[in-house]
Amino acid sequence: MLKIELPQIPSSAWQCEIGKQWANPYTTRYASNLDDGPNHGMPLGGFGGGCIGRGVNGDFNLWHIDGGNHTFKTLPACQFSVFEQIEGETPQVYAMSTTPPEDVSLSSWAWYPEGKGTYSALYPRSWFDYQGVFKSHIICEQFSPIWAGSYQEASYPLATFQWTVHNPTDKEITISIMLSWQNVVGWFTNAIKSPDVKVRDDGSPEYEYQPRLGDSTGNLNQLITDNFRVGFLFDRIRMGEQPSESEGQWSIASVTNPAFEVFYHGRWNPQGDGSQLWDHFANNGTLGDHQDETPAKPGEQIASAMTIRFTVKPGKTKKIPFILAWDFPITEFAQGIEYYRRYTDFFGRNGKNAWSMVRTALKHHDMWRDRIIQWQTPILQRPDLPDWFKMALFNELYLLSQGCSLWTAATENDPVGQFAVTECIDYRWYESLDVRLYGSFGMILLWPRLDKSIMEAFSKAIPKSDDTPRIIGYNRAKAIRKAKGATPHDLGAPNEHPWEKTNYTSYQDCNLWKDLGCDFVLQVYRDYLFTGSRDQHFLWECWDSVVETVHYVKAFDLDGDSIPENSGAPDQTFDDWKLKGISAYCGALWIASLEAAIAIGNILADNPPMDPAFQSDDYPHDIKNAIATFSQWLNQSRAIYHDTLWNGEYYRLDSETDTDVVMADQLSGQFYAQILGLPNVVEKEYVKSTLAKVYDACYLKFHDGKFGIANGLKPDGSPMKADDTHPLEVWTGINYGIVAFMIINDMKDEGMQIAETVVKQVYENGLQFRTPEAITSVGTFRVTHYLRAMAIWAIYHVLS
């Protein structure tokens, strides 16, 4: 007989006590920024199909079911509960959350005590290890089928909860595990169909999102028995076969066999005291086997529950899976703009396939778990990588499901669909290009086809224009939305039409930014190199836009020295920090991007296009002309960059601001040149001197290195201005990028010390699974669920 063992939780998984209460968690810096508190756990669900979150207290509390939108609310009736009884003893029965409802609902239920066991997470797996309450040793392992290189299973909107129960006593133990679920079909769509865009206190645009929480009219629950599968299907009365955004299904399910008893209750009131369920369940681990498919009346709420009861003999172990699946096949952006989700390529598009997902999950979940382990094990077994790094490396990938991600169904032009992740939930627009300069390393290393699809979307957007006028939040000036030839800042927002209507953000006029075009060229060349240097078709897709955007950026060179000048307004990724003249940051990116553009051009000059769409009578002369122009600009830029900005220890912030501030990320362009094998922007001796100064002034002298690298400080560690914003913040993703830069320049020990500092600030202060862009020395953060933190994969890349 197959021996069942308790799950082995990796030593590198993040861990805290179940129901942990943080004494002094980080709090938000601005009143308008999102702060849902520290009760966050690993998200469940694949990429782009919606996800849910289960907090460290056991609540299901985060609902990203409507594409691009965020709802954080505990639904107490959505819950696991456990009954345990040893013969002759009083049963122990708990709902497996440590937090009772704040209202009077479910008042008959008993709730699991705080601190009795541990919560662990190593994305995409997490564990509740319950200890000190039950006589049994009980572990719930939860995961979704996500692993590197999966372009199918990673899109599935489902989760497996593998319960394992070990009996360490000398008596038989009866266990019953109940999964209850409220019917929330129809809740997750915006009730405001034409939301007005407003500007909030930090100058960024936002729109109102009002989900239809509680709108359950017409919802119904159906018991399903299907061979060895049993569960409930949650649906809604529909007017037609074609579903709308909010129409679809949820399903909960498990398995049955002669060793398991199944009990159920098909329709109960989650707003009542819960005694309809609890009186049965707490007595003997059963339910009343009540079926009722009556649709909910206006104002009525309904839920279902199922329980699996079994006996565990002394010294033995049993395990049983539960599946949660949801099928909402359509994402609607602006009214009438609808896309099918990627998973519909495999399960159909009528919104009636939740049970098909259940059947697939019950058949394949063990294999999926093995694939996750096979992917992670080579990294987890590396002795040169510390556990804190392995933990954060995997856990920071949470954003690919929780970051309001979109993943559309495949088309002829997009064979793996279109993918996008928001910059963050506060700044709810997609794939901010400056942020993904560092933040996209996880995607290009693990799901490269998706990363390339994003760069192709930017390429298609560069030649387009949008002359719609709007007010710029930073200075209240007027500007057009998108200039022809400008690389857009982002691929749009969920209240409009992502991919087609770009440059949503209006805090700054991003048509004036000096880094975006450079970022585009560097990421195109990186994606080509990182995928084997064979995909010339990808380069041809992007080439015309490379040429156009390089010329667009060059137009900001007003004095003819071949380096575009910053304007004295915040016109780059540090968009609250003014640079003027030639800047170290943008100048280095410009030089590196010219090298990348020339490298791309040389590849294409040697590889004629196979696609007729790219063939030209001028080939290869038009490419060689572009290379010649770029080479001329490059030589002129190189001749002045170092001499203009070098001060003997590091590079000055810019050529026209009278300050000795040390900008931490000043040589980002040099970092990219090194990882792409391009000629150095500056000589190695200047790189090492600069990094040593950054380490000393911006890390060691910034509160004795307790927080990480601040963006910009004077050589003695003091601020330019006491009330500075971005210069005095520690940006998590920028820190990880600089650490990678340090490692490839012989500062591995210093770099890993910084990375560990930042990781611990996040994971020891209630910021897990909502990593912010910025933290401060006074225990505040700015904007959580931030894309740039996936830059930790840049560290892994250079270490490998």
Side-chain angles (χ1 to χ4, degrees):
M1 185 176 183
L2 180 65
K3 183 179 179 181
I4 299 174
E5 297 179 349
L6 287 168
Q8 298 299 304
I9 301 173
S11 61
S12 52
W14 180 75
Q15 190 172 100
C16 72
E17 64 182 28
I18 294 173
K20 180 177 174 62
Q21 298 293 316
W22 277 262
N24 294 293
Y26 270 81
T27 56
T28 186
R29 185 173 187 184
Y30 297 120
S32 63
N33 283 172
L34 178 74
D35 187 0
D36 290 320
N39 182 29
H40 280 71
M42 189 200 77
L44 299 160
F47 304 164
C51 78
I52 60 174
R54 191 179 181 202
V56 299
N57 70 342
D59 283 350
F60 290 94
N61 56 10
L62 181 143
W63 309 87
H64 285 188
I65 304 301
D66 183 359
N69 294 297
H70 170 76
T71 300
F72 192 85
K73 177 182 176 62
T74 294
L75 299 180
C78 297
Q79 189 58 255
F80 280 103
S81 302
V82 173
F83 168 98
E84 179 197 63
Q85 184 172 32
I86 297 177
E87 186 175 358
E89 297 185 14
T90 302
Q92 296 196 90
V93 194
Y94 293 99
M96 305 306 284
S97 166
T98 63
T99 308
E102 294 180 355
D103 57 21
V104 298
S105 65
L106 309 188
S107 57
S108 68
W109 294 25
W111 301 86
Y112 193 77
E114 290 179 2
K116 298 298 184 178
T118 56
Y119 173 85
S120 306
L122 192 70
Y123 187 80
R125 293 193 294 158
S126 56
W127 301 262
F128 284 90
D129 186 352
Y130 303 101
Q131 297 185 38
V133 173
F134 298 110
K135 299 291 179 64
S136 311
H137 188 177
I138 302 175
I139 297 178
C140 175
E141 179 178 0
Q142 45 193 31
F143 62 91
S144 297
I146 295 166
W147 57 85
S150 169
Y151 298 95
Q152 177 171 329
E153 291 88 348
S155 72
Y156 292 175
L158 55 81
T160 296
F161 302 86
Q162 183 76 60
W163 287 81
T164 305
V165 181
H166 175 69
N167 179 357
T169 75
D170 59 359
K171 297 180 180 179
E172 286 190 353
I173 296 179
T174 297
I175 294 287
S176 187
I177 300 174
M178 179 172 71
L179 175 55
S180 54
W181 204 258
Q182 187 166 352
N183 189 330
V184 295
V185 172
W187 288 22
F188 299 106
T189 187
N190 199 349
I192 306 170
K193 284 303 180 185
S194 298
D196 293 331
V197 176
K198 302 176 182 178
V199 176
R200 61 184 177 196
D201 63 354
D202 63 0
S204 58
E206 66 173 351
Y207 63 91
E208 189 173 357
Y209 179 67
Q210 183 179 310
R212 295 181 178 273
L213 302 181
D215 180 8
S216 298
T217 303
N219 285 6
L220 52 92
N221 309 337
Q222 180 183 6
L223 177 69
I224 304 288
T225 55
D226 174 17
N227 293 327
F228 63 91
R229 297 170 285 262
V230 62
F232 278 97
L233 198 60
F234 302 92
D235 210 324
R236 189 182 187 99
I237 295 174
R238 308 188 195 185
M239 301 306 294
E241 287 300 310
Q242 178 65 23
S244 65
E245 177 181 62
S246 63
E247 290 181 325
Q249 297 176 330
W250 291 84
S251 185
I252 59 174
S254 187
V255 298
T256 183
N257 61 41
F260 297 141
E261 296 177 279
V262 179
F263 305 93
Y264 56 87
H265 195 300
R267 195 179 191 276
W268 61 278
N269 176 18
Q271 295 179 314
D273 66 4
S275 60
Q276 292 169 280
L277 262 63
W278 207 255
D279 287 352
H280 273 284
F281 186 68
N283 181 47
N284 56 15
T286 68
L287 296 174
D289 288 353
H290 173 72
Q291 284 195 67
D292 187 344
E293 297 184 17
T294 304
K297 300 174 183 177
E300 186 180 21
Q301 298 300 317
I302 60 174
S304 293
M306 60 178 295
T307 183
I308 307 293
R309 190 173 70 171
F310 52 93
T311 299
V312 186
K313 294 183 179 300
K316 299 298 183 181
T317 304
K318 284 189 176 180
K319 67 177 183 178
I320 184 167
F322 284 81
I323 307 298
L324 172 65
W326 54 98
D327 177 20
F328 295 90
I330 289 177
T331 288
E332 182 180 49
F333 302 120
Q335 193 167 5
I337 306 297
E338 296 181 340
Y339 281 77
Y340 286 109
R341 288 170 152 156
R342 169 63 170 169
Y343 76 85
T344 64
D345 289 337
F346 315 109
F347 287 106
R349 298 181 174 179
N350 62 4
K352 298 180 179 180
N353 295 287
W355 194 255
S356 295
M357 295 180 198
V358 163
R359 297 177 70 175
T360 299
L362 288 174
K363 181 178 180 180
H364 295 298
H365 67 89
D366 284 336
M367 181 270 286
W368 293 343
R369 182 177 180 274
D370 289 343
R371 292 294 299 273
I372 295 168
I373 293 171
Q374 290 167 12
W375 161 46
Q376 292 184 333
T377 295
I379 295 175
L380 297 181
Q381 289 184 345
R382 281 183 56 169
D384 61 318
L385 301 180
D387 277 349
W388 62 262
F389 177 75
K390 298 170 186 175
M391 177 277 292
L393 188 70
F394 286 110
N395 281 338
E396 289 302 334
L397 295 173
Y398 82 96
L399 197 79
L400 296 176
S401 56
Q402 192 168 301
C404 297
S405 60
L406 306 176
W407 193 357
T408 67
T411 65
E412 184 177 352
N413 292 329
D414 299 295
V416 294
Q418 292 179 289
F419 186 87
V421 173
T422 53
E423 179 174 333
C424 63
I425 296 174
D426 285 282
Y427 307 156
R428 205 155 62 243
W429 42 83
Y430 282 98
E431 293 297 341
S432 300
L433 190 67
D434 57 317
V435 176
R436 74 183 326 274
L437 183 69
Y438 286 151
S440 61
F441 273 89
M443 179 151 284
I444 186 57
L445 292 172
L446 302 173
W447 292 275
R449 293 170 70 189
L450 295 183
D451 201 77
K452 285 172 145 179
S453 76
I454 294 166
M455 298 315 300
E456 288 173 354
F458 274 103
S459 178
K460 293 171 184 174
I462 286 171
K464 297 179 180 179
S465 63
D466 183 345
D467 294 336
T468 304
R470 57 184 182 171
I471 300 297
I472 300 304
Y474 170 73
N475 58 8
R476 311 305 296 174
K478 286 187 177 180
I480 65 169
R481 177 161 179 160
K482 167 69 172 68
K484 186 180 186 305
T487 298
H489 170 272
D490 55 75
L491 293 176
N495 64 316
E496 294 188 338
H497 191 172
W499 304 293
E500 297 298 323
K501 198 170 180 62
T502 61
N503 253 9
Y504 183 82
T505 183
S506 59
Y507 174 60
Q508 297 288 357
D509 180 2
C510 294
N511 295 301
L512 304 180
W513 279 25
K514 310 307 184 293
D515 54 350
L516 291 172
C518 304
D519 296 345
F520 170 73
V521 176
L522 290 168
Q523 289 178 67
V524 167
Y525 188 50
R526 180 201 64 184
D527 285 12
Y528 172 76
L529 293 180
F530 280 27
T531 54
S533 303
R534 293 185 298 273
D535 189 1
Q536 284 88 35
H537 180 82
F538 170 69
L539 294 185
W540 278 112
E541 285 274 2
C542 300
W543 172 247
D544 286 346
S545 292
V546 166
V547 174
E548 187 169 6
T549 201
V550 169
H551 279 271
Y552 183 90
V553 177
K554 176 61 169 62
F556 293 110
D557 169 27
L558 301 181
D559 60 7
D561 64 3
S562 287
I563 298 184
E565 291 89 37
N566 292 91
S567 65
D571 53 6
Q572 28 66 44
T573 195
F574 301 94
D575 58 356
D576 205 18
W577 193 357
K578 298 176 181 179
L579 307 179
K580 189 170 178 60
I582 298 172
S583 71
Y585 177 71
C586 292
L589 286 170
W590 168 249
I591 291 171
S593 68
L594 286 175
E595 291 283 11
I598 292 167
I600 293 170
N602 284 326
I603 292 167
L604 297 183
D606 293 336
N607 293 274
M610 304 302 292
D611 189 330
F614 305 127
Q615 293 172 0
S616 165
D617 293 338
D618 294 329
Y619 176 84
H621 302 293
D622 52 350
I623 294 179
K624 291 183 177 179
N625 289 337
I627 292 172
T629 299
F630 297 163
S631 297
Q632 180 184 356
W633 295 344
L634 176 64
N635 291 334
Q636 293 173 318
S637 299
R638 284 188 173 280
I640 65 168
Y641 176 82
H642 175 80
D643 291 343
T644 301
L645 298 173
W646 182 248
N647 72 358
E649 287 186 281
Y650 56 95
Y651 290 90
R652 294 162 51 203
L653 181 68
D654 57 44
S655 60
E656 297 185 29
T657 302
D658 184 18
T659 178
D660 60 351
V661 69
V662 183
M663 184 182 192
D665 201 30
Q666 60 185 267
L667 288 181
S668 178
Q670 169 65 21
F671 167 64
Y672 252 82
Q674 287 186 246
I675 64 168
L676 300 183
L678 296 169
N680 288 322
V681 173
V682 297
E683 299 298 324
K684 277 295 192 73
E685 60 185 285
Y686 306 119
V687 175
K688 292 184 176 182
S689 177
T690 297
L691 287 175
K693 197 65 180 179
V694 168
Y695 176 71
D696 178 64
C698 299
Y699 176 63
L700 293 179
K701 290 178 179 173
F702 182 66
H703 298 276
D704 300 319
K706 294 178 182 177
F707 297 96
I709 301 173
N711 282 325
L713 297 172
K714 289 176 171 289
D716 64 359
S718 63
M720 289 187 292
K721 294 183 294 183
D723 60 348
D724 263 338
T725 51
H726 288 183
L728 291 181
E729 291 179 333
V730 173
W731 288 11
T732 54
I734 293 292
N735 270 246
Y736 296 148
I738 295 172
V739 167
F741 189 22
M742 286 181 164
I743 290 170
I744 57 175
N745 286 284
D746 306 319
M747 294 180 67
K748 178 181 176 182
D749 291 344
E750 295 91 336
M752 293 302 281
Q753 176 190 17
I754 294 166
E756 183 177 11
T757 299
V758 176
V759 166
K760 288 185 174 180
Q761 285 297 324
V762 170
Y763 286 89
E764 292 180 359
N765 289 287
L767 293 172
Q768 75 288 341
F769 301 109
R770 55 179 191 136
T771 306
E773 159 77 318
I775 60 175
T776 71
S777 61
V778 293
T780 63
F781 65 80
R782 184 168 55 79
V783 297
T784 52
H785 306 80
Y786 205 76
L787 188 160
R788 190 153 23 203
M790 285 189 288
I792 195 168
W793 281 87
I795 301 176
Y796 174 75
H797 172 69
V798 300
L799 288 173
S800 300

